Every structure is written in structure tokens, then in C-alpha cells.
Amino acid sequence: DPELNIIRVNQWMEKIYSYQKPLIGKKCYKVYQQRENVCPWCPSVKAIKTGEPQSEIVPYPTEEDPKGWFDLSAFPIQDAEGRVTGVIEHVKDITDRKRAEMALRESEDKYRNFIENAPIAMYTIDTKGNFTYGNKKLLEITGYIKEDWLNKPFHPVVHPDDLDIVMQRVGDRLAGKGTTDPYEIRIFNSSDEIMWVKLNSESIYETDELGNKKLVGMQTFVEDVTDRKRAEEEKIRLAAQLRQAYKMEAIGTLAGGIAHDFNNILSSVLGYVELSLMDVETDSQLESNLQEVYRAGMRAKELIRQILTFARKEEGHIQPIQISTIAKEATKLIRSIIPASIDVRLKGESESCAMA
């Protein structure tokens, strides 16, 4: 009735609350909740005040020590003038459903906590390609904070050269097709530095009450492979340097052989020049020409000696040389091999020496 006294109950209620018999004539809150005052959530009180049906999920037998839950609906009884003269309470035991919901919520909390603190980075995107979640590890390896990309598209963080393959992979996953094989791409961290990551993605589905599956997004696990990639690049660079060193060693060996043969030929040339100088007139033009040939031959012989030293990996003999003398000889040699239209002038008569 309007005073919350129990007027009538069915057998099911008498069975549930058999330890409270007789139920009729007692206050509902004393019988059903073992309280001394009206329940603050009571749908019957709301129905009496509003004249409209009300419902609530309530614990039983007490709020402090619930053993189950009822879906309690209150339907007001009105007289001919519209005044509420009582309430019919409809009680449905939803304990199994409630426990299932609590178990599901607990399982979701455990899963969420596991993913949030997982040692591998992970993120999710929706079907529009916007980030919907990123765990702590993801933020740690990239330096971002959640506000930097939550509910924002993923493509700005992808390196332009890798964007096509990412768009193809994401499109396939969001369409529920394509390969699930891991792949490696470059992304930008919060400092705009390039880092390499390995991605492994799976589609996310939700199931409705009828058991129909609906694609709602994609989850991706992220592994930072920057150090490995840099090590691979360094290995390639060192291998290239080693190949170049082998080439240079081979060239040095070849150059040494050629220089040795050329030195034998040059020795003969210089010998004949010396013999010729013994037979020419002093201060003649021919003597001057032979002297130039001889000096050039000696410079060539010195050059051959340096090549042989390099090829044999021997220590060179360093001695003082007059720079102006070498410059004059080089100038004469250049003049003989360039067109006459080009004038070569040597400035400076320094007597300085250098160690070479």
C-alpha cells in the first residue's frame, strides 16, 4: 500500500523469504532488505510519487551482504480519480546475469591492466583509421603522450616512403582480409626522429546479441627494432669498406708490378741519356734538351719508388726537398702537354724546403 506495507505476495516470494514469514502486514523494506528505514533506491516510493512505473536493480537479502540481485519494477495502482492507492511490485531474479556481467567486467579489467602494462607496445585504431588506444609501452618508446594522437589519424607518424605499404596493410586488415604477417616500417617519434618498428596487426570484431560479428577496428603490436636496423646498416657499411680495402690492396699489388717493370724501362732510358750527354757539345741546345729529359726521368724514377713503397707497405724515406725546384719542373712538364694558347706562369722564387 502507499505506506509500504505488504498486502499480498505470491508463493515464489514466500519461498525466497520463508525465514521472514508471515510477510503480509510487514513493511517491505524490513522484510526484503532488513532495514529500519525506507530504501533510498526504492522504485515503489518513486512510483507512488510520480504515478509512473519505475524500476531498479536491487541487491538481496541486504545491501551490505548481497547474495543476489533482483530486477525490481513498481507499477502504481490508481483509483477512479487517479490517486495512487498501492503498488504492484514485479520481481525478477537476475543473479546469474549480474554475476556474468561482473565476471565479464572483471575479465575486461584484467585484460585492460595486462595490455596497459605489457612489455610490448600496442595500439588500436577504428575503421576510420583513428587511434583509439595506446598502452604505456607505446608512449614510452615513441615519446608521445596520449593527447598527441588519441582520436587522430595514424598516417602523420608514418614515414612518407613507407606510407603506401602501411595504407595497403591497414586497408586489408580493416576489410578483414590480407596477410597477417609482421612487417617493418619507419615512423617518427615525438622528437621527429626516425625509428624502425615491427608491426603485427589483427582485426577487432564485436558480437551482437544475435551472434553476428561486426568489424570495429584493428589492434597492432609494435616492436622497436631501431637498434637492430642500425646494426644491420653498420654491418653493410663495414662490409663495403672491407671490399674497398681489398680492391685497394689489389690495385696496390697491380701498381707495384707495373711500376717495377716501368722502372726497368726507365733505367735503360736514363742510361742512354747519360751516354748521350757524354757525346754532345757543352752548352748546346741538344745538351739542354737531354738534361730536361734526364731530370724528368729522375722525377719519374722517384715517383716509381713511391709507388713501390706504397705497394709493398714499406716505410717511405722522408727528406727535405726544395719546393720551387719541383714547381719549375712541373711547370715545364705542363707546358709541354697543354695547348699553346694557354699561358702558364709561375710566381714565387722561395728557397724554402719541405719534408717529403
Side-chain angles (χ1 to χ4, degrees):
D1 64 15
E3 302 300 324
L4 303 181
N5 295 308
I6 300 174
I7 304 300
R8 185 183 302 171
V9 295
N10 63 7
Q11 293 181 354
W12 186 83
M13 288 295 288
E14 286 184 337
K15 181 179 179 181
I16 293 293
Y17 293 97
S18 59
Y19 59 91
Q20 291 280 13
K21 285 184 177 181
L23 308 184
I24 296 175
K26 295 180 180 179
K27 297 292 185 181
C28 63
Y29 50 83
K30 287 187 176 182
V31 174
Y32 302 147
Q33 290 291 319
Q34 303 177 25
R35 299 171 63 96
E36 293 299 324
N37 300 306
V38 177
C39 303
W41 62 78
C42 181
S44 294
V45 172
K46 297 176 183 178
I48 292 170
K49 289 181 178 180
T50 63
E52 299 290 336
Q54 304 289 331
S55 65
E56 287 288 343
I57 304 298
V58 300
Y60 79 88
T62 66
E63 181 182 17
E64 291 75 17
D65 185 27
K67 297 295 190 297
W69 287 266
F70 287 152
D71 184 355
L72 179 59
S73 301
F75 301 92
I77 302 173
Q78 297 175 329
D79 59 17
E81 296 179 358
R83 291 175 299 187
V84 177
T85 59
V87 174
I88 298 176
E89 290 187 343
H90 178 270
V91 182
K92 181 180 180 181
D93 189 346
I94 59 169
T95 301
D96 292 343
R97 190 188 79 186
K98 192 71 175 179
R99 287 174 178 169
E101 290 175 354
M102 293 175 64
L104 177 61
R105 189 178 302 111
E106 182 180 357
S107 176
E108 290 176 345
D109 290 341
K110 288 181 178 179
Y111 176 76
R112 187 178 297 106
N113 183 66
F114 171 76
I115 291 297
E116 181 66 16
N117 297 286
I120 187 170
M122 180 263 187
Y123 69 85
T124 61
I125 61 174
D126 58 22
T127 54
K128 295 181 180 179
N130 296 323
F131 285 108
T132 54
Y133 175 76
N135 68 355
K136 290 181 181 178
K137 189 65 176 180
L138 180 71
L139 304 181
E140 176 187 327
I141 67 174
T142 61
Y144 289 105
I145 59 176
K146 288 186 178 180
E147 289 73 14
D148 289 336
W149 57 5
L150 191 62
N151 298 320
K152 297 178 182 178
F154 69 86
H155 56 79
V157 302
V158 180
H159 193 282
D161 293 343
D162 297 332
L163 188 57
D164 288 344
I165 181 63
V166 175
M167 294 297 289
Q168 179 183 348
R169 287 294 194 104
V170 171
D172 288 344
R173 284 289 83 213
L174 293 179
K177 60 181 182 180
T179 179
T180 59
D181 295 338
Y183 62 106
E184 296 176 356
I185 63 166
R186 288 161 292 179
I187 66 171
F188 297 105
N189 62 17
S190 60
S191 301
D192 284 334
E193 298 171 334
I194 295 176
M195 59 182 297
W196 280 91
V197 292
K198 183 178 181 180
L199 305 182
N200 195 344
S201 302
E202 289 289 347
S203 302
I204 302 175
Y205 295 91
E206 286 185 355
T207 305
D208 60 21
E209 297 178 354
L210 300 177
N212 299 316
K213 294 175 64 176
K214 178 183 178 182
L215 182 69
V216 295
M218 182 184 77
Q219 67 179 11
T220 301
F221 292 95
V222 183
E223 180 183 357
D224 184 0
V225 295
T226 303
D227 290 342
R228 175 171 64 78
K229 278 291 186 179
R230 288 174 178 171
E232 291 174 355
E233 292 172 356
E234 180 67 10
K235 182 179 179 181
I236 293 173
R237 187 184 67 82
L238 292 176
Q241 286 185 347
L242 183 60
R243 288 194 298 271
Q244 184 65 21
Y246 287 149
K247 290 179 181 178
M248 293 301 296
E249 184 177 1
I251 291 173
T253 302
L254 178 63
I258 296 174
H260 182 75
D261 293 340
F262 187 68
N263 189 52
N264 294 335
I265 297 172
L266 188 60
S267 296
S268 299
V269 173
L270 291 175
Y272 280 108
V273 171
E274 289 176 344
L275 292 174
S276 298
L277 284 172
M278 296 172 61
D279 295 335
V280 299
E281 295 182 6
T282 304
D283 298 330
S284 66
Q285 182 63 41
L286 180 58
E287 182 192 30
S288 177
N289 292 340
L290 289 173
Q291 289 288 357
E292 290 296 331
V293 172
Y294 184 79
R295 280 191 289 270
M298 292 303 294
R299 288 288 299 149
K301 191 170 184 178
E302 176 61 20
L303 180 60
I304 291 172
R305 185 191 67 78
Q306 293 177 9
I307 293 175
L308 289 172
T309 299
F310 172 76
R312 295 168 183 167
K313 298 181 181 179
E314 299 175 353
E315 292 293 332
H317 178 62
I318 299 176
Q319 60 184 13
I321 59 173
Q322 194 168 27
I323 298 175
S324 60
T325 301
I326 296 177
K328 289 177 181 178
E329 292 177 3
T331 302
K332 291 178 181 179
L333 180 61
I334 292 173
R335 283 183 180 140
S336 65
I337 61 175
I338 63 175
S341 59
I342 299 177
D343 184 23
V344 179
R345 299 179 183 180
L346 178 63
K347 294 184 179 181
E349 296 291 338
S350 175
E351 300 296 326
S352 300
C353 294
M355 299 298 292

